Amino acid sequence: QVQLVESGGGSVQAGGSLRLSCAASGYSNNAHCMAWFRQVPGKEREGVASIDSDGTTRYLDYAKGRFTISQDNAKNTLYLQMNSLQPEDTAMYYCAARLGRGGYCPTSSLFWPAMFGYWGRGTQVTVSS
Protein backbone atom coordinates (compact mmCIF):
# COMPACT_ATOMS: atom_id res chain seq x y z
CA GLN A 1 0.00 0.00 0.00
CA VAL A 2 1.37 3.41 -1.00
CA GLN A 3 1.11 5.99 1.76
CA LEU A 4 2.15 9.64 1.72
CA VAL A 5 2.05 11.79 4.85
CA GLU A 6 2.90 15.50 4.74
CA SER A 7 4.15 17.61 7.62
CA GLY A 8 5.92 20.90 8.25
CA GLY A 9 3.19 23.35 7.35
CA GLY A 10 2.38 26.33 9.53
CA SER A 11 2.09 30.10 9.69
CA VAL A 12 4.94 32.45 8.81
CA GLN A 13 5.41 36.11 7.98
CA ALA A 14 6.19 37.25 4.45
CA GLY A 15 9.84 36.65 3.65
CA GLY A 16 10.04 33.68 5.98
CA SER A 17 10.79 30.03 5.25
CA LEU A 18 9.26 26.62 5.79
CA ARG A 19 10.43 23.09 5.03
CA LEU A 20 7.71 20.62 4.15
CA SER A 21 8.25 16.88 4.46
CA CYS A 22 6.46 13.91 2.92
CA ALA A 23 7.04 10.52 4.49
CA ALA A 24 6.52 7.89 1.80
CA SER A 25 6.11 4.13 1.94
CA GLY A 26 5.06 1.28 -0.31
CA TYR A 27 6.80 2.46 -3.50
CA SER A 28 10.46 1.52 -3.01
CA ASN A 29 10.35 -1.32 -5.53
CA ASN A 30 8.83 0.83 -8.24
CA ALA A 31 10.25 3.61 -10.36
CA HIS A 32 8.62 6.83 -9.21
CA CYS A 33 8.08 10.50 -9.79
CA MET A 34 7.39 12.53 -6.66
CA ALA A 35 5.82 15.96 -6.65
CA TRP A 36 4.32 18.79 -4.64
CA PHE A 37 1.05 20.46 -5.55
CA ARG A 38 -0.87 23.25 -3.85
CA GLN A 39 -4.47 24.38 -3.80
CA VAL A 40 -6.42 27.42 -2.64
CA PRO A 41 -10.18 27.10 -2.02
CA GLY A 42 -12.08 27.93 -5.18
CA LYS A 43 -9.11 27.33 -7.46
CA GLU A 44 -7.72 24.30 -9.26
CA ARG A 45 -4.90 22.32 -7.74
CA GLU A 46 -1.61 23.36 -9.34
CA GLY A 47 1.83 21.82 -9.52
CA VAL A 48 4.73 23.28 -7.55
CA ALA A 49 7.70 21.01 -8.27
CA SER A 50 8.61 17.42 -9.14
CA ILE A 51 11.59 15.10 -8.96
CA ASP A 52 12.24 11.99 -11.09
CA SER A 53 13.75 8.73 -9.90
CA ASP A 54 17.04 9.87 -11.47
CA GLY A 55 16.97 13.14 -9.53
CA THR A 56 15.83 15.44 -12.32
CA THR A 57 13.83 18.34 -10.91
CA ARG A 58 11.22 20.63 -12.42
CA TYR A 59 9.58 23.76 -11.04
CA LEU A 60 6.65 25.94 -11.90
CA ASP A 61 7.74 29.48 -12.75
CA TYR A 62 6.54 31.03 -9.51
CA ALA A 63 8.61 28.54 -7.51
CA LYS A 64 11.91 28.92 -9.35
CA GLY A 65 14.60 30.56 -7.25
CA ARG A 66 12.56 30.31 -4.05
CA PHE A 67 11.57 26.66 -3.62
CA THR A 68 13.73 23.55 -3.72
CA ILE A 69 12.47 19.98 -4.02
CA SER A 70 14.69 17.15 -2.80
CA GLN A 71 14.50 13.54 -1.68
CA ASP A 72 16.32 11.55 0.98
CA ASN A 73 16.16 8.00 -0.34
CA ALA A 74 17.55 6.49 2.86
CA LYS A 75 14.67 8.00 4.83
CA ASN A 76 12.07 7.64 2.07
CA THR A 77 11.21 11.28 2.55
CA LEU A 78 10.42 14.04 0.07
CA TYR A 79 11.09 17.67 0.98
CA LEU A 80 10.08 21.10 -0.22
CA GLN A 81 12.22 23.95 1.09
CA MET A 82 10.31 27.20 0.66
CA ASN A 83 12.11 30.52 1.07
CA SER A 84 11.01 34.13 0.57
CA LEU A 85 7.41 33.13 1.15
CA GLN A 86 4.71 35.57 0.12
CA PRO A 87 1.01 35.80 1.01
CA GLU A 88 0.11 34.40 -2.41
CA ASP A 89 1.89 31.18 -1.43
CA THR A 90 -0.81 30.52 1.15
CA ALA A 91 -2.40 27.18 0.25
CA MET A 92 -2.82 23.56 1.18
CA TYR A 93 0.28 21.73 -0.02
CA TYR A 94 0.01 18.11 -1.16
CA CYS A 95 2.57 15.40 -1.76
CA ALA A 96 1.89 13.20 -4.80
CA ALA A 97 3.44 10.11 -6.40
CA ARG A 98 3.42 8.69 -9.91
CA LEU A 99 4.67 5.10 -10.07
CA GLY A 100 6.12 3.21 -13.00
CA ARG A 101 6.60 4.82 -16.39
CA GLY A 102 10.36 4.66 -15.99
CA GLY A 103 10.22 6.97 -12.98
CA TYR A 104 9.98 10.04 -15.22
CA CYS A 105 7.85 13.02 -14.27
CA PRO A 106 5.49 14.74 -16.69
CA THR A 107 6.79 17.73 -18.61
CA SER A 108 5.59 21.17 -17.55
CA SER A 109 2.71 21.18 -20.03
CA LEU A 110 1.47 17.86 -18.63
CA PHE A 111 2.06 18.56 -14.94
CA TRP A 112 -1.55 17.92 -13.93
CA PRO A 113 -3.05 16.31 -10.82
CA ALA A 114 -4.62 13.59 -13.00
CA MET A 115 -1.14 12.33 -13.90
CA PHE A 116 -0.51 11.30 -10.27
CA GLY A 117 -2.19 8.32 -8.69
CA TYR A 118 -1.27 8.70 -5.03
CA TRP A 119 -1.78 11.63 -2.67
CA GLY A 120 -1.22 12.68 0.90
CA ARG A 121 -3.84 14.49 2.98
CA GLY A 122 -2.05 17.84 2.71
CA THR A 123 -0.43 20.34 5.06
CA GLN A 124 -1.55 23.96 5.37
CA VAL A 125 0.84 26.84 4.71
CA THR A 126 -0.25 30.34 5.68
CA VAL A 127 1.85 33.42 4.93
CA SER A 128 0.92 36.78 6.44
CA SER A 129 2.13 40.23 5.41
Side-chain angles (χ1 to χ4, degrees), residues 7-129:
S7 63
S11 299
V12 298
Q13 294 184 334
S17 300
L18 283 175
R19 188 191 192 193
L20 306 184
S21 298
C22 173
S25 62
Y27 71 95
S28 297
N29 295 324
N30 293 286
H32 57 275
C33 160
M34 302 296 294
W36 289 97
F37 284 77
R38 69 184 189 183
Q39 185 170 28
V40 176
K43 295 185 177 181
E44 296 182 348
R45 189 170 299 186
E46 65 178 2
V48 177
S50 68
I51 182 168
D52 293 2
S53 289
D54 65 4
T56 300
T57 59
R58 297 179 178 82
Y59 299 89
L60 271 293
D61 289 342
Y62 66 81
K64 293 180 179 178
R66 297 192 299 131
F67 297 179
T68 301
I69 187 171
S70 62
Q71 185 170 7
D72 185 332
N73 292 325
K75 297 182 178 180
N76 293 321
T77 303
L78 179 73
Y79 302 99
L80 182 67
Q81 178 66 47
M82 304 187 293
N83 299 324
S84 301
L85 286 165
Q86 300 299 313
E88 52 265 39
D89 294 316
T90 294
M92 182 72 75
Y93 284 72
Y94 298 90
C95 175
R98 172 184 170 92
L99 305 186
R101 301 171 177 82
Y104 297 109
C105 292
T107 58
S108 296
S109 63
L110 297 174
F111 194 13
W112 310 326
M115 300 299 288
F116 294 79
Y118 303 93
W119 297 85
R121 294 289 187 177
T123 185
Q124 180 67 38
V125 171
T126 302
V127 185
S128 60
S129 60

